[in-house]
């Protein structure tokens, strides 16, 4: 019978520990969303006229899921102009700049620019330690006036040595997409 | 007049004439299930390496035996071996009951039987089969049973589907304890090592009311049998190697006992590296595992006995690197590729992100009371601790930090009572409780997909079993109360915690009718109504889930599922020539919960995102499982089995997703339980079989709800063998198999990673096991 009392005792003990430790009232803090990017900003500044600034912004204020993100453009893109491009990323929920983090890991990241506007080209203006392009800095050149879209993609762990990847062709890049945003573009 | 076969001694032991050596062991071999006697059964004395064969009436006779202690092994084609320990001091007569297997499908022994206190039909896989397939996962082992399939995420993670039901709908019991793991998610395999089990059983029927947890989708029982009264240490030690993934497995089992106390201890260790499709390595698909279990039974007095059970499961699993994607662009790119991204030419045992680390520990204490077999009472209590860590490819040196870090602590208790009211009336009733606490580690830097919560379930059941002539009836009732206390994080910013509670009441009923149609035929009908409360993940999940490569969104408004399942089974056999079983079923489920890929585009900063939402539909699932065995000659048998299943959503009139395709299996087996000489070595038991399986294309696919069309039909050729040598005191078993012998390139509809890579190419397994 000793074992029986032991069983009853342990049952009660376990039940008590469970029910007491199972109270859900512990104060917990909402976890920090470290890796979320909610905002991407691509700023183009004309090399000839520094007052001609065009800003492309994509913002998804509540992160992935929930509300859809929105894209907006301010400023006018002029035809036949060369622009310096700067790309920045932020986590607006936590108020954190993500650009620095990408910059520190530039060997593992690459931005791809795909434009459907006739004559508009975007070239890399920065490289990582292996002399491969990154894309946080770029040079955009517009051709004739026209409309189209600009897709900016940030890939994590792409095959930077893949066929055509270093010249900005995304086809053989692979990796995971951290950012993929599309903007309507008008060149006037 | 009985014709007794007098056995000739093959080897004379040295002490044969040294002492009083005039004793005899005689006996009869019967099959109690069938009520028949068995001829050609082998009776073997391990100590003397000698034996004999039973005659046409099942009798055997061994004489000139010395007074000594003997271990006897009794074997018969199509039966599981029986071991008998005997202290011979006088002439002894034994009656040995061999469990006759109704079917032997593939290399898997399926023991179909109606349990004495459970009228539902149960299919089992034996310890020998489990050990011969040491590197096979639980779901892939049970998938050998017609009507059971395996839902996979790659090559290291698989979960069983029983007649179309999986995940939260299936109840897995480890030695009677409902497995409190992470059942949700296609990438969460049951946290159990089959090598710890003495057998695995599946109940496909209408619903099983004796167990807490979901009872509308079938039950898998992980059994740990301990019926030894042999005072010597027995068991086995085995090793296997497989070429695909260069996997190794070591496993041992030890058992010992007497009338007072007994124990069974198992342990296993496994490790494998990158698997290989016919043409390329599947990088990062290695795994490792270390597991152990202990069962200890002790008789306290003439009425009480106690049982202690503990098991530990620990694994690390790599997920194919090329299957890691984050948006539909990545997905579309992956579809177009011959060879997945990140494929390397080198084999590696390394496991990098994406990977999972899972630990599951269980301890159970049971007390049994029996009062002259009129009343039996069983009181059990168990604790389980489950830890799951998942790692993803992350930015900012976070890859070594888990993206999901969940702890689940659960407490189970039950009291079961069985009363034999009259000779043909049995009443079983019980009360059960399962409480679980789930906690996230919030330092992952990612919003947890499952919120912190406590769930508490209390259930009551009562089952009446009545036997009338050739009929056996069972009527059961069960009611469960489920209570959730959830602390979820709002989906809107600023994010805050919200405390909420929910409760559900589930009611289930079951009617079973078993009847002996003729001496050799049985008919079983079961009708079960059951309901299931939506699980926490179905209600609250919100976040990125690696397993579905997408964003998963629960719905807090979900209602309980209500199911009505009718299952009819007919089983017949002719005099030794054939046996067959046919099972038809129809299940109607109201508010069937499924994870549906969404058609509307979700624009996020990562582009278009695969979004999956939990939705409810009214569905019908029906199908047919067929299995048969033909004894072509004394040594040749052939098995044919088929599983057909169909399911659709009632209102949308479209097919249900994730249902297995129709499949067919044919095998030819040669087995001989007599002394044979192969390559100059003497063997006592040989077995060789060739099997072909055909899996049809899943035509019933909801094209708008899938990213790719279903893969083509495929045919696979497999083969296996086993050879046993009986030596003095030990029995050595050599075994092996070749799966996908033709190195066929194929993809399977039920593998989530069919979007990214092909299934495994040829795999050769070789193993050795010493039974002592």
């Amino acid at each position: 019978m000793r074992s029986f009392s032991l069983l009853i005792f342990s049952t009660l003990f376990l039940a008590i520990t469970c029910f007491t430790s199972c109270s859900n009232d512990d104060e917990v803090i909402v976890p920090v969303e470290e890796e979320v990017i909610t905002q991407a900003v691509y700023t183009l500044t004309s090399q000839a006229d520094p007052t001609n600034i065009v800003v492309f912004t994509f913002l998804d204020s509540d992160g992935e899921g929930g509300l859809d993100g929105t894209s907006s453009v301010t400023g006018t893109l002029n035809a036949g102009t060369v622009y310096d491009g700067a790309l920045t990323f932020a986590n607006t929920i936590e108020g954190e700049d993500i650009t620095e983090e990408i910059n520190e890991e530039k060997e593992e990241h690459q931005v791809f620019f795909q434009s459907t506007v006739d004559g508009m080209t975007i070239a890399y203006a920065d490289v990582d330690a292996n002399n491969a392009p990154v894309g946080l800095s770029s040079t955009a050149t517009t051709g004739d006036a026209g409309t189209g879209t600009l897709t900016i993609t940030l890939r994590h762990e792409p095959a930077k040595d893949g066929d055509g990847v270093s010249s900005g062709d995304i086809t053989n890049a692979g990796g995971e997409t951290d950012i993929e945003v599309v903007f309507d573009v008008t060149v006037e | 007049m009985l014709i007794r076969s007098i056995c000739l001694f093959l080897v004379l032991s040295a002490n044969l004439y040294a002492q009083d050596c005039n004793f005899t062991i005689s006996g009869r071999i019967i099959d109690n299930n069938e009520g028949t006697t068995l001829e050609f059964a082998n009776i073997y004395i391990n100590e003397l390496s000698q034996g004999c064969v039973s005659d046409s009436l099942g009798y055997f006779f061994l004489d000139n035996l010395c007074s000594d202690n003997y271990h006897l092994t009794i074997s018969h084609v199509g039966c599981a071996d029986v071991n008998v320990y005997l202290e011979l001091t006088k002439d002894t007569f034994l009656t040995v009951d061999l469990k006759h297997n109704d079917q032997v499908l593939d290399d898997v022994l399926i023991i179909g039987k109606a349990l004495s206190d459970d009228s539902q039909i149960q299919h089992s896989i034996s310890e020998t089969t489990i050990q011969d397939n040491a590197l096979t996962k639980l779901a892939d082992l049970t998938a050998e049973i017609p009507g059971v399939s395996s839902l996979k995420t790659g090559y290291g993670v698989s979960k069983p589907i029983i007649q179309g039901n999986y995940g939260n709908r299936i109840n897995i019991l480890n030695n009677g304890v409902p497995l409190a793991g992470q059942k949700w998610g296609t990438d969460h395999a049951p946290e159990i090592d089959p090598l710890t089990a003495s057998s695995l059983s599946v109940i496909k029927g209408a619903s099983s009311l004796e167990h807490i947890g979901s009872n509308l989708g079938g039950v898998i029982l992980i059994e740990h049998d301990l019926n030894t009264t042999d005072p010597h240490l027995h068991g086995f030690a085995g090793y296997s190697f497989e070429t695909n993934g260069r996997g190794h497995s070591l496993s041992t089992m030890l058992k010992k006992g007497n009338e007072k106390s007994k124990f069974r201890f198992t342990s296993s260790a496994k490790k494998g590296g990158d698997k290989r499709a016919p043409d390329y390595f599947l990088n990062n698909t290695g795994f490792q595992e270390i597991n152990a279990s202990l069962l200890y039974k002790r008789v306290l007095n003439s009425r009480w006995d106690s049982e202690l059970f503990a098991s530990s499961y620990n694994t690390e699993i790599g997920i194919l690197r090329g299957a890691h994607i984050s948006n539909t662009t990545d997905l579309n790119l992956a579809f177009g590729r011959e060879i997945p991204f990140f494929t390397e030419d080198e084999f590696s045992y390394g496991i990098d992100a994406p990977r999972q680390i899972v630990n599951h520990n269980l301890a159970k204490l049971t007390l049994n009371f029996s009062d002259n077999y009129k009343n039996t009472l069983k009181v059990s209590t168990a604790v389980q601790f489950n830890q799951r860590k998942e790692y993803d490819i992350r930015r900012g040196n976070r890859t070594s930090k888990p993206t999901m870090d969940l702890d689940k602590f659960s407490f189970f208790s039950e009291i079961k009572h069985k009363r034999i009211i009259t000779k043909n009336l049995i009443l079983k009733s019980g009360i059960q409780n399962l409480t679980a606490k789930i906690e996230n580690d919030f330092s992952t830097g990612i919003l947890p997909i499952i919120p912190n919560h406590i769930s508490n379930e209390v259930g009551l059941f009562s089952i009446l079993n009545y036997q009338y002539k050739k009929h056996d009836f069972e009527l059961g009732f069960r009611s469960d109360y489920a209570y959730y206390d959830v602390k979820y994080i709002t989906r809107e910013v600023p994010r805050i915690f919200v405390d909420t509670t929910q409760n559900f009441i589930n009611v289930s009923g079951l009617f079973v009718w078993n009847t002996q149609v003729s001496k050799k035929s049985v008919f079983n009908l079961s009708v079960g109504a059951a309901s299931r409360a939506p699980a926490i993940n179905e209600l609250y999940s919100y976040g990125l889930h690696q397993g579905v490569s997408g964003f998963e969104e629960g719905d807090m408004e979900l209602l309980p599922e209500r199911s009505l399942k009718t299952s009819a089974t007919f089983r017949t056999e002719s005099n030794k020539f054939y046996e067959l079983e046919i099972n038809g079923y129809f299940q109607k489920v109201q508010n069937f919960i499924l994870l549906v890929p969404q058609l509307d585009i979700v624009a996020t900063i990562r582009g278009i995102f695969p979004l999956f939402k939990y939705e409810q539909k009214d569905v019908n699932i029906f199908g047919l499982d067929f299995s048969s065995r033909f004894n072509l000659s004394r040594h040749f048998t052939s098995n044919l089995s088929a599983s057909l299943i169909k399911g659709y959503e009632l209102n949308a009139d479209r097919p249900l997703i994730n249902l297995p395709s129709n499949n067919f299996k044919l095998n030819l087996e040669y087995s001989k339980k007599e002394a044979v000489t192969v390559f100059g070595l003497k063997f006592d038991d040989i077995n060789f079989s060739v099997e072909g399986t055909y899996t049809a294309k899943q035509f019933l696919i909801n094209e708008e709800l899938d990213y790719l069309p279903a893969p083509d039909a495929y045919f696979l050729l497999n083969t296996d063998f086993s050879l046993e040598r009986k030596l003095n005191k030990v029995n050595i078993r050599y075994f092996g198999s070749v799966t996908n012998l033709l190195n066929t390139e194929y993809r399977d509809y039920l593998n989530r990673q069919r979007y990214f890579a092909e299934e495994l190419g040829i795999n050769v397994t070789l193993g050795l096991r010493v039974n002592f």
Side-chain angles (χ1 to χ4, degrees):
Chain A
M1 271 336 245
R2 238 179 50 222
S3 305
F4 183 62
S5 355
L6 191 70
L7 176 94
I8 297 295
F9 174 75
S10 45
T11 310
L12 284 174
F13 174 75
L14 286 169
I16 291 161
T17 40
C18 178
F19 283 105
T20 49
S21 69
C22 287
S23 68
N24 219 1
D25 296 333
D26 330 338
E27 263 321 301
V28 277
I29 301 155
V30 176
V32 177
E33 291 173 77
E34 293 171 355
E35 237 161 320
V36 171
I37 302 175
T38 58
Q39 184 179 258
V41 181
Y42 187 45
T43 310
L44 294 178
T45 311
S46 166
Q47 286 182 353
D49 171 14
T51 60
N52 177 205
I53 298 171
V54 185
V55 183
F56 297 90
T57 307
F58 186 94
L59 177 66
D60 188 357
S61 58
D62 63 347
E64 284 142 359
L67 303 170
D68 276 0
T70 51
S71 59
S72 60
V73 187
T74 59
T76 310
L77 267 184
N78 295 324
T81 311
V82 181
Y83 290 89
D84 284 328
L87 191 58
T88 61
F89 306 105
N91 175 353
T92 54
I93 300 172
E94 305 294 340
E96 197 185 343
D97 182 11
I98 308 286
T99 324
E100 190 50 36
E101 190 178 299
I102 309 279
N103 195 39
E104 277 167 18
E105 289 187 341
K106 48 191 171 190
E107 287 74 32
E108 288 174 18
H109 286 96
Q110 187 171 345
V111 181
F112 297 89
F113 301 92
Q114 292 159 282
S115 165
T116 63
V117 186
D118 268 353
M120 182 173 175
T121 57
I122 294 163
Y124 293 105
D126 54 358
V127 288
D128 64 14
N130 307 320
N131 222 19
V134 183
L136 292 175
S137 299
S138 54
T139 310
T141 311
T142 53
D144 297 335
T147 58
T149 60
L150 171 66
T151 305
I152 301 176
T153 308
L154 172 68
R155 284 278 172 87
H156 184 211
E157 296 200 352
K160 285 199 168 190
D161 53 357
D163 219 16
V165 175
S166 64
S167 58
D169 182 359
I170 198 166
T171 319
N172 298 309
E176 283 92 31
T177 304
D178 275 350
I179 299 281
E180 187 182 296
V181 288
V182 186
F183 298 103
D184 288 328
V185 179
T186 308
V187 178
E188 290 172 8
Chain B
M1 171 81 191
L2 306 174
I3 307 156
R4 296 193 175 173
S5 63
I6 309 294
C7 302
L8 293 173
F9 291 173
L10 300 168
V11 182
L12 294 174
S13 83
N15 65 350
L16 193 59
Y17 301 107
Q19 50 190 103
D20 192 0
C21 294
N22 296 318
F23 295 120
T24 62
I25 302 175
S26 56
R28 196 172 196 194
I29 313 296
I30 57 163
D31 178 345
N32 224 357
N33 264 351
E34 308 287 326
T36 55
T37 58
L38 294 174
E39 67 174 327
F40 300 123
N42 282 276
I43 299 90
Y44 190 84
I45 302 177
N46 300 351
E47 281 78 3
L48 306 178
S49 300
Q50 66 190 31
C52 66
V53 177
S54 63
D55 65 19
S56 58
L57 291 167
Y59 286 99
F60 68 92
F61 183 76
L62 291 153
D63 63 359
N64 288 346
L65 295 168
C66 305
S67 170
D68 205 341
N69 300 337
Y70 297 109
H71 292 83
L72 272 70
T73 303
I74 294 101
S75 56
H76 188 264
V77 175
C79 293
D81 288 2
V82 167
N83 293 305
V84 177
Y85 174 72
L86 195 68
E87 290 173 5
L88 192 68
T89 51
K90 57 177 196 280
D91 290 349
T92 305
F93 186 86
L94 294 172
T95 303
V96 182
D97 176 18
L98 286 188
K99 283 197 176 102
H100 193 75
N101 309 308
D102 284 326
Q103 311 119 10
V104 179
L105 296 159
D106 181 26
D107 52 341
V108 173
L109 221 53
I110 293 170
I111 306 157
K113 57 170 182 185
L115 285 180
S116 53
D117 57 349
D118 191 345
S119 312
Q120 298 227 53
I121 291 172
Q122 178 173 335
H123 293 83
S124 304
I125 295 170
S126 72
E127 187 169 48
T128 305
T129 307
I130 297 168
Q131 294 294 333
D132 283 1
N133 296 279
L135 285 150
T136 307
K137 312 280 176 209
L138 174 72
D140 303 315
L141 273 172
T142 52
E144 295 296 337
I145 296 168
V148 185
S149 325
S150 147
L151 183 68
K152 294 179 195 173
T153 296
Y155 316 93
V157 178
S158 55
K159 55 200 310 171
I161 310 182
I162 303 173
Q163 295 186 335
N165 290 296
Y166 59 90
N168 289 324
R169 279 178 209 103
I170 287 191
N171 207 354
I172 298 176
L173 294 132
N174 193 1
N175 196 18
V177 182
L179 180 70
Q182 301 294 343
K183 278 184 177 182
W184 59 283
T186 53
D187 63 332
H188 301 165
E191 297 89 346
I192 279 180
D193 173 27
L195 294 181
T196 59
S198 60
S199 65
L200 301 173
S201 297
V202 175
I203 303 171
K204 299 190 282 187
S207 66
S208 190
L209 301 184
E210 256 193 84
H211 315 294
I212 195 165
S214 160
N215 47 32
L216 61 74
V219 180
I220 295 179
L221 305 167
I222 317 296
E223 291 160 324
H224 303 262
D225 195 19
L226 184 48
N227 280 330
T228 182
T229 48
D230 190 331
H232 306 118
L233 189 66
H234 287 282
F236 56 75
Y239 167 76
S240 6
F241 171 75
E242 62 177 18
T243 55
N244 198 334
R246 300 179 203 171
H248 304 266
S249 156
L250 268 173
S251 74
T252 58
M253 190 274 277
L254 297 171
K255 65 178 177 184
K256 188 176 166 171
N258 55 39
E259 298 298 334
K260 275 300 264 186
S261 66
K262 43 188 107 171
F263 79 88
R264 179 177 186 271
F265 173 78
T266 70
S267 64
S268 71
K270 306 176 206 176
K271 188 173 177 71
D274 293 339
K275 302 261 186 205
R276 203 180 152 83
D279 291 328
Y280 48 86
F281 281 114
L282 298 157
N283 291 99
N284 201 44
T285 54
F287 80 106
Q288 49 190 10
E289 247 181 64
I290 283 196
N291 315 299
S293 78
L294 173 72
L295 179 62
Y296 175 75
K297 284 187 180 182
R298 192 178 171 84
V299 177
L300 302 174
N301 56 42
S302 61
R303 292 181 164 190
W304 291 90
D305 67 78
S306 61
E307 186 189 303
L308 176 75
F309 175 69
S311 85
S312 178
Y313 171 82
N314 309 283
T315 188
E316 179 176 10
I317 308 164
I319 309 283
L320 181 69
R321 179 64 181 89
H324 190 82
I325 55 120
S326 71
N327 70 1
T328 42
T329 313
D330 295 357
L331 195 59
N332 282 317
L333 272 173
F335 294 161
R337 290 185 66 92
E338 278 282 292
I339 292 173
F341 279 115
F342 301 104
T343 298
E344 285 162 30
D345 299 328
E346 298 281 307
F347 168 85
S348 161
Y349 280 109
I351 302 171
D352 296 316
R355 66 192 168 110
Q356 308 179 347
I357 296 179
V358 183
N359 306 90
H360 192 98
N361 295 297
L362 183 158
K364 182 199 181 197
L365 201 57
T366 305
L367 210 61
N368 291 303
F369 169 84
S370 167
D371 145 37
N372 297 329
Y373 303 104
K374 274 267 186 211
N375 286 292
T376 51
L377 186 73
K378 190 174 186 165
V379 183
S380 305
T381 158
V383 286
Q384 290 176 80
F385 186 56
N386 181 290
Q387 274 182 301
R388 171 173 285 272
K389 288 189 169 72
E390 293 186 1
Y391 297 82
D392 256 329
I393 321 284
R394 300 180 71 178
R395 279 200 328 269
N397 293 320
R398 293 191 195 91
T399 300
S400 58
K401 196 162 151 183
T403 50
M404 175 158 81
D405 190 345
L406 263 181
D407 284 355
K408 180 171 184 172
F409 177 79
S410 66
F411 175 76
F412 167 75
S413 55
E414 81 175 349
I415 301 169
K416 275 185 180 176
H417 177 246
K418 180 174 156 188
R419 184 174 165 77
I420 300 170
I421 299 167
T422 65
K423 214 178 101 196
N424 47 14
L425 191 66
I426 299 170
L427 177 70
K428 285 188 293 178
S429 39
I431 177 164
Q432 288 143 329
N433 169 279
L434 184 62
T435 302
K437 181 180 186 181
I438 286 89
E439 231 170 30
N440 284 282
D441 181 341
F442 286 138
S443 66
T444 55
I446 283 186
L447 286 182
I449 179 166
I450 295 290
N452 284 4
H453 66 274
I454 291 169
S455 71
N456 190 359
E457 282 172 73
V458 182
L460 284 165
F461 72 88
S462 207
I463 300 166
L464 197 65
N465 203 303
Y466 177 64
Q467 252 181 320
Y468 177 76
K469 288 182 179 165
K470 286 177 174 173
H471 306 282
D472 186 1
F473 299 96
E474 187 178 296
L475 197 62
F477 174 80
R478 179 175 184 99
S479 180
D480 290 278
Y481 170 75
Y483 168 83
Y484 298 149
D485 180 355
V486 186
K487 197 167 194 152
Y488 70 90
I489 298 168
T490 51
R491 298 174 183 189
E492 302 77 34
V493 270
R495 304 201 199 277
I496 50 161
F497 280 111
V498 177
D499 250 312
T500 182
T501 60
Q502 266 183 302
N503 46 61
F504 299 95
I505 289 175
N506 294 314
V507 177
S508 309
L510 174 69
F511 169 76
V512 184
W513 172 43
N514 241 325
T515 182
Q516 193 87 33
V517 180
S518 71
K519 207 180 160 198
K520 297 267 178 193
S521 310
V522 180
F523 177 75
N524 177 290
L525 175 77
S526 66
V527 182
S531 65
R532 179 182 77 88
I536 292 286
N537 69 302
E538 292 159 344
L539 295 165
Y540 294 98
S541 65
Y542 189 74
L544 267 175
H545 187 198
Q546 179 192 311
V548 294
S549 311
F551 198 89
E552 211 168 294
E553 218 178 289
D555 179 356
M556 293 175 213
E557 307 295 315
L558 293 178
L559 299 167
E561 288 182 342
R562 295 200 296 180
S563 149
L564 182 69
K565 183 169 181 174
T566 305
S567 175
T569 308
F570 179 69
R571 179 184 283 169
T572 187
E573 65 171 80
S574 85
N575 275 339
K576 314 276 179 225
F577 178 63
Y578 69 80
E579 290 155 27
L580 58 89
E581 182 187 298
I582 185 159
N583 167 227
Y585 56 92
F586 182 87
Q587 185 176 20
K588 194 176 179 71
V589 189
Q590 225 174 47
N591 303 327
F592 187 84
I593 301 170
L594 69 167
L595 192 59
V596 181
Q598 300 296 304
L599 302 177
D600 49 336
I601 289 160
V602 182
T604 76
I605 202 152
R606 288 210 219 193
I608 297 163
F609 224 76
L611 174 72
F612 296 81
K613 277 187 180 169
Y614 284 99
E615 293 181 359
Q616 293 197 299
K617 315 273 181 194
D618 291 347
V619 303
N620 282 348
I621 303 171
F622 51 94
L624 201 69
D625 297 336
F626 171 82
S627 54
S628 60
R629 174 190 170 94
F630 300 93
N631 299 320
L632 306 174
S633 70
R634 196 175 147 198
H635 298 299
F636 280 98
T637 52
S638 177
N639 298 285
L640 175 69
S641 66
S643 296
L644 311 171
I645 182 168
K646 197 177 164 178
Y648 58 89
E649 294 173 21
L650 284 179
N651 300 327
D653 197 24
R654 60 183 183 193
L656 196 59
I657 52 175
N658 282 348
L659 280 187
S661 348
N662 297 335
N663 58 74
F664 307 86
K665 200 183 288 180
L666 178 67
N667 96 337
L668 184 67
E669 188 178 327
Y670 174 82
S671 68
K672 203 168 177 186
K673 294 227 169 195
E674 296 146 43
V676 198
T677 306
V678 183
F679 304 123
L681 281 170
K682 192 192 124 248
F683 292 100
D684 305 281
D685 186 336
I686 69 166
N687 206 303
F688 179 78
S689 81
V690 186
E691 169 199 76
T693 64
Y694 176 80
T695 306
K697 182 173 174 165
Q698 182 55 283
F699 284 106
L700 298 168
I701 181 172
N702 207 330
E703 269 169 35
E704 62 200 40
L705 290 184
D706 208 331
Y707 299 106
L708 280 186
D712 288 334
Y714 61 87
F715 173 79
L716 297 181
L717 198 63
N718 306 319
T719 171
D720 64 62
F721 77 91
S722 68
L723 298 164
E724 262 184 49
R725 285 189 78 182
K726 286 177 177 150
L727 300 174
N728 188 15
K729 296 197 170 177
V730 297
N731 165 353
I732 303 175
R733 183 176 173 92
Y734 305 86
F735 56 92
S737 66
V738 185
T739 51
N740 195 2
L741 188 67
L742 305 174
N743 212 17
T744 306
E745 293 177 21
Y746 71 104
R747 294 178 194 232
D748 189 78
Y749 174 66
L750 292 177
N751 192 340
R752 174 78 203 174
Q753 283 180 14
R754 70 189 158 95
Y755 298 147
F756 309 101
E758 279 162 347
E759 292 286 329
L760 303 185
I762 187 167
N763 180 28
V764 181
T765 306
L766 287 172
L768 173 76
R769 193 161 64 250
V770 181
N771 291 288
F772 53 86

